[in-house]
Amino acid sequence: MPAFAYRGRNSAGESVQGVLDGNTAAAVADALFGTGVTPLEIKPAPAGAADKKAGGGMAKLDLFAEKVAHVDILLFTRQLYTLLKAGVPIMRALAGLQESSQNGAMKTLLGDIRQSLDSGRELSAAMARHPKVFSNFYLAMVRVGEMTGRLEEIFLRLFDHMEFERFMREQVKSALRYPSFVVIAMGVALFVVNVWVIPTFAKVFQGFNAELPLVTRLLIGFSEFTVSWWHFILGALVAAAFAFRSWIATPRGRYRWDKFKMRIPIAGKIIRKATLARFARSFALALRSGVPLIQALTTVAQTVDDAFIAEKVEHMRDSVERGESILRSAIGTGAFTPVVLQMIAVGEESGSIDEMMEEIAGMYQSEVEYELKTLSQQIEPILILLLGVLVLVLALGIFLPIWDLGKVAMKK
């Protein structure tokens, strides 16, 4: 559909301009009159204008401009639910949210959604023009709300779902803050010791004219290597980081990494439970909102944020399409715990899978919260052991020659 650039005045007499899609200029004029805008000029938009508009003006923003954050969409979802529940028309609700928004990128986004609605698009289609802001799951839920006429209820459930996702991320960051600080401090201390402390002792040991212990020689050799080749070590670390990011950006690499994460000691079980909680809550939300089973599984596979579990959910969907029960399909994937399978069996027999999935999500959420609260306590012994080994090696390497020298001096 061609795009037309327009210039006109709204009902308040203010000058407005933008880009709208339409079959003809007359169709665009009718759409503008319908929104209270009197067009003064309508002409075909330059090539690429529609693409820039579809990006919500993001193409014009520089690197340091404001961006639409997760909390902005969370607040927008809650506010839109409240306005729709109060009976406020969607266009008026979006206009009010756009006017009250403190984020420039969010203002631009809401303005583009309003223009898309003005041109005859549905809300889900208007939001789909911003894939970096609205996830596939979000769009699927909005589309279901439009089809069932329960849009305000969908926005409330989306808000609860997004709040759950935000809570999980914050809990993980909070739990990893202390261990990360300890590991970074150990790394800095090791660097300082290798670059400044050990070379000083090495000069002292050279005056002994005696054979140094093996541990001391290893420490001095490692220190000399670090001092001489630190730029290559730094470059190798940076290259390894970039290579790792590039690898996990590929479908196969992401799948292998997500599969490996669940086998990591201590953290693996937390990641698995959090992923299953996300799967169960998304599945429950989709089914409760009236999404067909096959479409619900397809949507959930795109939102679990884990390539390994997503592939298992897709296999589960394929099995259901072939006529197998949900339980047999879930068992065939080999990715779900016995508790999840048992709840699926009960839900399938009673016809309340959505309720059982909600129960699973709540159960795993509680378990994840407990695991995260005790994560520091579980990691602390490992960190203390590593720190003890590091101190022991340094102490032996530095003080053994001094101890040997003292024993020789005492014998004399």
Side-chain angles (χ1 to χ4, degrees):
M1 185 178 294
F4 291 87
Y6 69 87
R7 182 174 59 85
R9 293 190 180 277
N10 58 20
S11 56
E14 300 171 338
S15 178
V16 294
Q17 60 183 359
V19 179
L20 283 180
D21 294 334
N23 293 322
T24 62
V28 172
D30 291 339
L32 291 173
F33 277 120
T35 60
V37 175
T38 302
L40 301 178
E41 181 183 14
I42 298 177
K43 59 183 180 180
D51 294 335
K52 290 181 181 180
K53 186 176 78 71
M58 298 297 178
K60 297 182 290 183
L61 299 178
D62 57 29
L63 182 63
F64 304 99
E66 289 184 293
K67 296 181 180 180
V68 179
H70 180 271
V71 67
D72 294 320
I73 301 301
L74 183 67
L75 183 61
F76 159 77
T77 303
R78 181 67 185 188
Q79 291 174 332
L80 193 56
Y81 156 73
T82 303
L83 293 172
L84 293 177
K85 184 180 180 181
V88 179
I90 184 68
M91 288 299 297
R92 183 177 164 191
L94 291 172
L97 293 176
Q98 181 183 9
E99 184 177 353
S100 62
S101 177
Q102 301 298 315
N103 187 324
M106 194 67 189
K107 280 181 177 288
T108 304
L109 172 69
L110 294 175
D112 182 76
I113 292 177
R114 289 178 60 200
Q115 288 184 355
S116 297
L117 293 177
D118 284 340
S119 64
R121 285 191 176 92
E122 294 180 339
L123 180 61
S124 57
M127 291 179 170
R129 295 161 67 87
H130 305 273
K132 294 183 178 180
V133 177
F134 299 104
S135 65
N136 292 329
F137 185 76
Y138 195 104
L139 297 174
M141 290 298 101
V142 173
R143 198 171 297 117
V144 169
E146 292 171 335
M147 292 187 297
T148 59
R150 298 186 299 174
L151 199 55
E152 67 280 356
E153 182 181 346
I154 292 296
F155 278 116
L156 177 60
R157 293 178 179 175
L158 280 172
F159 170 79
D160 293 336
H161 181 74
M162 295 176 69
E163 181 68 17
F164 166 74
E165 295 283 325
R166 185 176 70 90
F167 172 78
M168 296 287 285
R169 282 194 294 268
E170 289 181 352
Q171 287 289 315
V172 171
K173 290 180 181 179
S174 176
L176 294 179
R177 189 173 296 122
Y178 168 72
S180 301
F181 174 78
V182 174
V183 171
I184 292 174
M186 290 174 59
V188 172
L190 186 61
F191 176 80
V192 171
V193 168
N194 270 292
V195 174
W196 286 288
V197 178
I198 293 180
T200 302
F201 277 95
K203 294 179 181 178
V204 175
F205 295 155
Q206 287 177 356
F208 290 174
N209 296 322
E211 184 179 359
L212 298 175
L214 176 62
V215 177
T216 305
R217 285 178 298 180
L218 290 175
L219 285 178
I220 293 176
F222 183 69
S223 175
E224 292 175 349
F225 176 79
T226 303
V227 172
S228 302
W229 303 93
W230 66 267
H231 45 290
F232 289 104
I233 297 175
L234 181 62
L237 292 176
V238 173
F242 276 106
F244 176 74
R245 290 177 61 90
S246 301
W247 178 64
I248 62 175
T250 63
R252 193 61 183 171
R254 177 66 184 275
Y255 174 84
R256 289 183 176 275
W257 171 241
D258 287 341
K259 184 178 180 180
F260 171 76
K261 284 191 300 185
M262 296 188 181
R263 300 176 180 175
I264 300 176
I266 300 178
K269 60 181 180 180
I270 301 178
I271 294 173
R272 184 181 183 87
K273 290 178 180 179
T275 304
L276 290 178
R278 189 181 299 113
F279 158 78
R281 191 171 294 273
S282 302
F283 196 22
L285 176 58
L287 293 177
R288 189 167 293 175
S289 302
V291 181
L293 178 59
I294 302 301
Q295 183 182 347
L297 290 171
T298 302
T299 303
V300 170
Q302 298 171 349
T303 59
V304 291
D305 196 27
D306 188 285
F308 176 70
I309 296 296
E311 186 183 68
K312 299 301 182 181
V313 174
E314 290 174 353
H315 289 168
M316 184 177 171
R317 177 203 60 198
D318 296 339
S319 299
V320 172
E321 282 183 323
R322 292 193 298 267
E324 294 186 10
S325 65
I326 301 176
L327 176 61
R328 292 183 62 85
S329 302
I331 294 175
T333 62
F336 300 104
T337 61
V339 175
V340 175
L341 297 176
Q342 185 175 358
M343 297 293 275
I344 290 176
V346 173
E348 195 168 20
E349 290 179 6
S350 61
S352 55
I353 294 183
D354 56 338
E355 296 180 7
M356 294 298 103
M357 290 294 102
E358 196 68 38
E359 290 289 336
I360 292 172
M363 179 190 68
Y364 275 132
Q365 180 179 350
S366 300
E367 291 189 16
V368 169
E369 289 179 26
Y370 175 77
E371 294 283 356
L372 290 175
K373 288 179 181 178
T374 60
L375 180 61
S376 297
Q377 301 175 8
Q378 298 179 55
I379 296 179
E380 189 172 348
I382 300 176
L383 295 178
I384 293 176
L385 179 61
L386 292 176
L387 185 60
V389 171
L390 177 63
V391 172
L392 178 63
V393 171
L394 292 176
L396 290 177
I398 293 176
F399 293 111
L400 269 181
I402 300 177
W403 178 260
D404 293 340
L405 182 63
K407 288 194 298 182
V408 172
M410 289 177 64
K411 290 179 180 179
K412 292 181 179 180

